[in-house]
Amino acid sequence: MSLDKIGIAKRISKEIENGMYINLGIGIPTLVANYIPDNLEVVLQSENGLLGIGPFPTEDKVDADLINAGKQTVSMLPGSVLFNSSESFAMIRGGHVHLTILGAMEVSENGDIANWKIPGKMVKGMGGAMDLVASAENIIVAMQHTSKSGKSKLLKECSLPITGIRCVNKIVTNLAVMDVHPEGGFILRERAPGVSVDEIKEATEGRLIVEGDIPEMKID
Amino acid sequence: MINKVVKDAIKATEDIKDGSVLMLGGFGLCGIPENGIQALLDMKIKDLTCISNNAGVDDFGIGLLLQEKQVKKMISSYVGENAEFERQLLSGELEVDLIPQGTLAERIRAGGAGIPAFFTPAGYGTEIEEGKETREFDGKMYLMERWLKADFSLVKAWKGDTAGNLIFKGTARNFNPMMAAAGNITIAEVEELVPAGELDPNEIHTPGIYVQRIFEGKNYEKRIEQRTVRS
């Protein structure tokens, strides 16, 4: 059975290591924060100027002057720090953020990502995504394997305007975990519980590299 | 100390003209110059170029200026919360320059710091690259980006003093400090205005040298876009 959004978030949480500074994008990536193991000490960065994002506040602690990059009200933790937008992107561009998790509309087999624009239809802007993907060493994409109409989102080449080139390292979808091969192709690492390699092949337009037995993901 | 205090938003913005280039602080609706935006509405100034990370929402922030068709051009990174913006853009009424957020922040910082251009990896290999110089440094490709400056910067702080020194609160700092430096005339509105000497110099975020006018704002709504709570 394919994973739901929470399943994808849970699987990605297993990629997190002790001591990491992490930027989580809007959507499924934000959910990852809920499943970070208690024994790990990590710091979440919000590009609007906060290191050390805490949980959503209780009703009486809501503060209009304290939001995350998705404009949601948040709280701070002991050791949190506030800064301006220029400093925030110095952290990102300077390679000080260890892990970036973000959503995508398409990923190509050489690691290009498209997630900011549908020409003539959706004009929202790229926000911080272009800066993040151009600089981060370690980028995990969280997304559905196919679009609502059933079209593969893992492609030979992106059809939408791209956000960054050759930058994605790993993709976790409702069907599979894949790494991007340095010379192109999606290396299949894990299958969602009950999903066959053939089903994943069927849903992947780009080159899928399958070597040996592909284990099922361990979610919990 | 030089006294920078003016009476109110109308007085502070009286020489902003049709066609002015403005920077407006804020991220979403957090830390926006609410009183300054109201003054621009009241004075019905037109053909503005607005440099701001976002464009407000339909009925608040810069969205109000868009409703009144006072904006000719927006320079922003993310405008997803504003249907009127999207309509004006797709119909061609509004000129829009979308810029990666970190590039926008650094272009503004560069403007205030006297650095005419710099190289960044953001947008390399994408449509953002069009018309820009590219260069390789140590095996990686970068785009050249130019500084940004404004005729007027409208910034919002938590506390300020009569000398124009500013302290911001929470994530309302965002673009405000860099915009303060990049404006030819910077107008700061604050929730609390105190005499010079009352703010702890160790805790001032923006030195008053960047601020030409300061006033205590009124009736802050501080609207929240995504009120998210836990039980």
Side-chain angles (χ1 to χ4, degrees):
Chain A
M1 215 184 78
S2 73
L3 300 177
D4 59 9
K5 287 178 181 180
I6 289 172
I8 296 173
K10 281 184 176 174
R11 175 58 191 82
I12 289 177
S13 71
K14 298 192 185 304
E15 300 295 320
I16 291 172
E17 294 167 21
N18 197 38
M20 276 182 165
Y21 287 85
I22 305 167
N23 183 290
L24 300 177
I26 294 163
I28 299 173
T30 305
L31 295 175
V32 174
N34 300 334
Y35 305 103
I36 298 171
D38 290 338
N39 61 333
L40 298 186
E41 289 186 4
V42 300
V43 178
L44 302 180
Q45 200 249 17
S46 193
E47 62 264 29
N48 57 318
L50 170 61
L51 265 176
I53 309 172
F56 295 132
T58 50
E59 190 66 47
D60 58 321
K61 295 270 167 55
V62 167
D63 181 354
D65 291 327
L66 197 60
I67 61 169
N68 64 17
K71 287 124 186 166
Q72 295 169 311
T73 44
V74 292
S75 66
M76 291 192 282
L77 298 168
S80 286
V81 58
L82 298 155
F83 37 87
N84 68 47
S85 303
S86 170
E87 178 97 54
S88 181
F89 283 92
M91 292 171 193
I92 290 165
R93 257 187 256 103
H96 306 282
V97 176
H98 303 118
L99 176 62
T100 293
I101 303 169
L102 75 176
M105 297 190 268
E106 295 175 348
V107 176
S108 79
E109 62 184 35
N110 65 359
D112 296 353
I113 177 172
N115 69 352
W116 77 281
K117 185 180 185 182
I118 302 173
K121 246 173 132 182
M122 186 196 87
V123 195
K124 292 180 187 299
M126 66 293 283
M130 280 194 182
D131 309 88
L132 281 158
V133 300
S135 300
E137 290 288 314
N138 191 2
I139 298 175
I140 301 178
V141 164
M143 66 175 189
Q144 302 298 321
H145 210 101
T146 55
S147 69
K148 287 198 181 89
S149 60
K151 193 175 165 294
S152 180
K153 295 169 75 172
L154 293 122
L155 308 172
K156 284 188 173 37
E157 281 179 31
C158 292
S159 65
L160 294 169
I162 58 175
T163 310
I165 55 168
R166 296 180 177 276
C167 54
V168 175
N169 303 87
K170 188 181 282 289
I171 305 141
V172 179
T173 73
N174 53 321
L175 301 182
V177 177
M178 292 147 291
D179 289 332
V180 175
H181 193 284
E183 277 153 35
F186 302 106
I187 309 167
L188 184 59
R189 298 293 189 198
E190 298 172 22
R191 300 173 287 122
V195 171
S196 71
V197 171
D198 283 344
E199 284 173 78
I200 297 165
K201 263 187 191 156
E202 184 69 23
T204 308
E205 189 225 82
R207 189 165 76 103
L208 190 73
I209 303 167
V210 184
E211 284 169 352
D213 281 342
I214 307 298
E216 279 191 2
M217 293 181 210
K218 291 189 176 57
I219 302 299
D220 289 303
Chain B
M1 276 295 148
I2 305 167
N3 190 324
K4 312 270 178 78
V5 178
V6 293
K7 190 172 110 232
D8 57 17
I10 294 287
K11 186 75 190 157
T13 56
E14 66 183 3
D15 51 350
I16 299 181
K17 295 182 183 66
D18 290 354
S20 288
V21 176
L22 309 182
M23 286 183 183
L24 298 105
F27 182 99
L29 300 177
C30 182
I32 60 170
E34 293 185 22
N35 282 237
I37 290 169
Q38 189 57 49
L40 297 172
L41 286 164
D42 292 345
M43 296 189 302
K44 300 187 172 20
I45 302 163
K46 289 202 165 40
D47 295 326
L48 295 169
T49 294
C50 293
I51 303 168
S52 177
N53 187 55
N54 311 87
V57 295
D58 279 322
D59 60 346
F60 202 58
I62 294 173
L64 297 169
L65 297 171
L66 290 166
Q67 297 282 4
E68 298 301 319
K69 305 209 165 38
Q70 290 176 254
V71 183
K72 183 183 69 177
K73 182 177 183 180
M74 280 300 312
I75 300 176
S76 302
S77 90
Y78 189 83
V79 293
E81 264 64 64
N82 194 319
E84 176 61 15
F85 179 101
E86 207 154 341
R87 191 197 66 73
Q88 288 188 18
L89 170 58
L90 292 173
S91 72
E93 290 166 59
L94 183 68
E95 221 182 308
V96 178
D97 202 356
L98 289 170
I99 297 176
Q101 196 173 315
T103 299
L104 180 64
E106 194 61 15
R107 287 180 67 184
I108 297 165
R109 196 195 74 81
I115 295 171
F118 59 92
F119 285 87
T120 175
Y124 176 76
T126 76
E127 65 182 54
I128 300 303
E129 182 188 315
E130 280 166 31
K132 289 176 184 152
E133 185 182 331
T134 60
R135 201 186 287 186
E136 184 182 325
F137 294 95
D138 300 329
K140 185 167 171 167
M141 293 303 294
Y142 295 82
L143 295 185
M144 191 175 81
E145 294 282 1
R146 298 292 312 275
W147 60 9
L148 275 173
K149 298 192 210 195
D151 299 323
F152 297 88
S153 283
L154 276 60
V155 304
K156 152 77 180 19
W158 179 37
K159 291 180 187 174
D161 69 19
T162 52
N165 297 307
L166 304 176
I167 295 177
F168 303 92
K169 178 166 164 271
T171 54
R173 195 179 322 178
N174 53 63
F175 284 80
N176 282 296
M178 291 84 71
M179 288 183 171
N184 184 35
I185 292 177
T186 289
I187 299 162
E189 57 180 87
V190 299
E191 289 176 56
E192 189 184 348
L193 182 63
V194 300
E198 281 198 17
L199 299 179
D200 180 348
N202 288 299
E203 293 183 350
I204 291 168
H205 297 124
T206 289
I209 189 169
Y210 299 126
V211 175
Q212 280 68 45
R213 299 169 195 167
I214 188 166
F215 67 94
E216 191 171 278
K218 281 186 262 199
N219 304 324
Y220 283 105
E221 180 180 332
K222 294 211 205 177
R223 194 184 293 185
I224 293 171
E225 271 181 78
Q226 304 282 342
R227 190 184 188 88
T228 318
V229 295
R230 75 187 132 115
S231 41

